[in-house]
Amino acid sequence: MAVNIDTDMCVGCGACVDACPVGALSVEDHAEVNEDECVECGACVDACPCEALSL
Ligand code: SF4
Ligand code: SF4
């Protein structure tokens, strides 16, 4: 399990990358999660301005 990313909602701003305490997120055209690293803390969900992330 890991955070879910709605790639249609994501604008690639990078706020979630900065918010993630374990470095599980990266951004190319849109956010991507390393499912092995995500601990489902929810910090990125709160940080995203576009409601693109969910747990
Ligand atoms: S839920 Fe937490 S650990 Fe997982 S990607 Fe988001 S900020 Fe990182
Ligand atoms: S904070 Fe939201 S909109 Fe910004 S890169 Fe992350 S998922 Fe995409």
Side-chain angles (χ1 to χ4, degrees), residues 2-7 10-38 44 48 52-53:
V3 69
N4 297 305
I5 301 171
D6 184 334
T7 54
C10 175
V11 297
C13 70
C16 56
V17 176
D18 294 337
C20 181
V22 297
L25 292 164
S26 59
V27 173
E28 293 286 345
D29 293 334
H30 55 74
E32 296 179 11
V33 62
N34 182 329
E35 296 189 3
D36 292 332
E37 294 182 358
C38 177
C44 58
C48 179
L53 302 173

Side-chain angles (χ1 to χ4, degrees), residues 38-54:
C38 177
V39 296
E40 300 186 348
C41 70
C44 58
V45 175
D46 293 337
C48 179
C50 302
E51 298 184 358
L53 302 173
S54 59

